[in-house]
């Protein structure tokens, strides 16, 4: 969650505002790294960026799962292999 820019400058008058209006409403942003394929890899190039946040294969792509609970917000994504392993355990 991000802070409401309108609220920073006074009261927010939006009825359906999806932004936080206090520190208590703040939630960590989900980890969306490797949820999309690398644009360089898609254009048949080689990605040499060690800090690239994109997936470099379909197998390495993480699936994004919406989890509204505060405690589980850090585990909002998992690779296909991680998801299959979890399903085996259940």
């Amino acid at each position: 969650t991000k802070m409401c820019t309108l609220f920073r400058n006074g009261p927010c008058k939006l009825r359906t505002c999806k932004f936080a209006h206090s520190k208590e409403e703040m939630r960590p942003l989900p980890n969306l790294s490797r949820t999309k394929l690398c644009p360089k890899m898609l254009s048949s190039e080689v990605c040499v960026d060690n800090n690239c946040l994109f997936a470099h294969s379909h197998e390495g792509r993480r699936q994004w799962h919406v989890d509204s609970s505060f405690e589980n917000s850090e585990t909002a994504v998992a690779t296909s292999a991680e998801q299959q392993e979890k399903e085996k355990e259940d």
Side-chain angles (χ1 to χ4, degrees), residues 33-38 54-64 78-82:
S33 64
R34 297 190 315 273
T35 56
K36 293 183 180 181
L37 290 173
C38 178
F54 292 96
H56 292 127
S57 69
H58 288 286
E59 296 79 23
R61 207 176 96 209
R62 297 162 61 114
Q63 298 299 312
W64 184 50
T79 63
S80 299
E82 290 170 340

Side-chain angles (χ1 to χ4, degrees), residues 38-90:
C38 178
K40 287 186 178 183
M41 301 296 285
L42 287 172
S43 64
S44 299
E45 294 180 38
V46 176
C47 180
V48 294
D49 182 0
N50 290 335
N51 297 315
C52 182
L53 297 177
F54 292 96
H56 292 127
S57 69
H58 288 286
E59 296 79 23
R61 207 176 96 209
R62 297 162 61 114
Q63 298 299 312
W64 184 50
H65 301 280
V66 176
D67 190 341
S68 60
S69 68
F70 179 72
E71 296 82 17
N72 295 324
S73 60
E74 291 296 321
T75 58
V77 293
T79 63
S80 299
E82 290 170 340
Q83 190 66 28
Q84 288 174 356
E85 189 64 33
K86 184 178 178 183
E87 290 171 1
K88 286 179 187 176
E89 292 172 2
D90 294 340

Side-chain angles (χ1 to χ4, degrees), residues 2-50:
K2 294 182 180 180
M3 284 297 288
C4 174
T5 55
L6 297 174
F7 185 73
R8 288 180 183 170
N9 299 324
C12 174
K13 297 180 182 177
L14 299 175
R15 289 182 180 212
T16 60
C17 184
K18 297 184 189 265
F19 294 96
H21 298 96
S22 68
K23 287 184 180 181
E24 292 78 24
E25 292 181 3
M26 292 291 292
R27 299 289 180 256
L29 295 174
N31 176 4
L32 298 176
S33 64
R34 297 190 315 273
T35 56
K36 293 183 180 181
L37 290 173
C38 178
K40 287 186 178 183
M41 301 296 285
L42 287 172
S43 64
S44 299
E45 294 180 38
V46 176
C47 180
V48 294
D49 182 0
N50 290 335

